[in-house]
Structure formats: structure tokens, C-alpha cells
Amino acid sequence: MLSGIGPKNNLEENNIKVRKELPVGRNLFDHPSCCITAKVSVPNSTSTSQLHYSSSGLELGMFYKGDIKGKVPSQEHFLDERPDIQFHASTNLLDPVARANAKSGKKNDVLTLVSTLNLPSSVGHLELRSSNPFIHPKIFLNYYEKPDDLYLMMSSLKLSREIFKQPPLSTVWGVESDVDKEMSDEDWEHYIRKKAFSSSHACGTVKMAPESKGGCVNHRLQVYGTKNLRVVDASIFPTIPAGNLNAPTAVVAWKASRLIEEDYKNKA
């Protein structure tokens, strides 16, 4: 955008010459996350070695289609090709208090279940606030703008609370969730909006699609209206993948290398 490729109005209001008007910065996707923290009464039970087993089990099994009632998923949900919820189990270093205790050398006997929306329907955007490249852009994530996203996250957190109540977490580790009290849907919404955070999976702002349909790059990753300019990163995704972005981005890079090689050979 700083080079003059982007939305005309946003470029002009920042005194940037418009070289090509494209919807750069629109179509911003991310995987929003939220978590439930539990106190663990058994000392040292959340050490890395012991936590490994529960974390591996969650990664294997807790991919499922959301149920607003917080129902524990059955086996047929485990191998869903496009899971909409992902769970992570870890000792809690997301909470500011836990981070402060960790820095001071105090033991954190806590366990966190993090819920992540794999297929959010809410879409954000970003805008330039200045032509100075050292000034951060304005970012509008629009988390939970669509009601479906809010209900899916609510469902996963209700499930997390049920997981904490199951043995051996409740019987051996003495886990006590920070949301053990009865909560209305309004309470859950307040909780989610207060504790929402990014998974750092932002993508989609230079969408690959026909220019007539809001695209910024074509199927060969070339920026419309330019020569010898490609975009090779997660920003070209039309929609967000249902999982971490590392592997899909590596595939884009691999494909780009082949496309560049093809173009070079065709010119020879």
C-alpha cells in the first residue's frame, strides 16, 4: 500500500500516489482464541513432561464440530476434514499474573485450555494511518462480528469447563476452573470479549481471486496492473485454512518457485 497499490481513498488521504487501485487490506482473517484457566492443587503436576500426554491427547481428539450445549464430542467427530474448533492444553503463560510469577521465579500450578476458531466467518480489514512505514496501520479484526463465531466459541468454552471436571484432572490434580459458577449466555459473551486474543494467523489481505471479484493477485500470484511483482505469503489466501498457516504458506512458496521458473524458461 505504501508503494501506491491499494484502496484509492485510503492512499490519497495519506498523500500516497495511486499506482493501482486494489482492495489491499480487505478480507482480513485470523483464528481468534479464548481460554479457560484452572488452578491445580497438586504441586508440580503441570510440569512439561506430565503435561505432554494430556496435550497430545487433546491435539489428537479434540477437533470437532461445535455444539452450543458444550457436549463432549463422540468418536465420529474426531476425523472431521474441516474441524471448526481446535483445543490446546498448556501451562498458563497467557495470563499477565502467570507471566509475572514466571518471571519472578514463582511456580505456576495452573492449566489452561485454549479454544481456537478454525473457520471464523467474521472478516476484518486494515488501513494505513500514515505514509511513514514505521507507523503501524489501523487494524480492525472484527472478532465475533458474526453471531455464529460467538456461539461456536461459547460452545468450546463450555466443553473446556466440562473437561476440567473429568478425572484425572478433577480427582488427581485437583483442578478448579475459573468459570465454575453458573453463567448465562450473556455472561459467556462478556467473558469471551474480555479474554479474546489472536492466534497470530492473520491472512487474506491480498486475496487471490479475479480482479472483478475483489482479488489482488491472479492464479500465478501476480499483482494485477503490475509487471514482475508477485505476493508469496499467507495474505493471498481467499479464506483462512482450518489450521495453522505454516504448511499452507510453505506450499504457496513452493508453487511460486515453480511459477517463477516457468516464466523464466518461457522468456528464454
Side-chain angles (χ1 to χ4, degrees), residues 80-123:
D80 196 304
E81 292 182 358
R82 286 181 63 79
D84 54 15
I85 297 291
Q86 182 176 3
F87 282 88
H88 310 267
S90 69
T91 52
N92 186 9
L93 293 179
L94 298 174
D95 188 295
V97 175
R99 288 182 177 179
N101 288 339
K103 291 179 180 179
S104 64
K106 295 180 181 179
K107 176 63 182 176
N108 289 291
D109 285 314
V110 293
L111 182 64
T112 296
L113 286 181
V114 180
S115 299
T116 300
L117 293 186
N118 280 349
L119 299 170
S121 54
S122 302
V123 183

Side-chain angles (χ1 to χ4, degrees), residues 131-176:
S131 59
N132 185 336
F134 296 103
I135 295 179
H136 293 170
K138 293 182 284 187
I139 301 175
F140 303 89
L141 294 170
N142 295 341
Y143 286 165
Y144 309 113
E145 182 181 53
K146 301 291 186 180
D148 286 352
D149 290 349
L150 182 62
Y151 287 129
L152 281 172
M153 180 57 74
M154 195 180 300
S155 168
S156 68
L157 294 179
K158 289 179 180 180
L159 175 58
S160 294
R161 185 170 64 173
E162 291 303 311
I163 291 173
F164 278 137
K165 294 179 181 179
Q166 308 306 312
L169 296 180
S170 60
T171 56
V172 178
W173 285 6
V175 168
E176 294 182 14

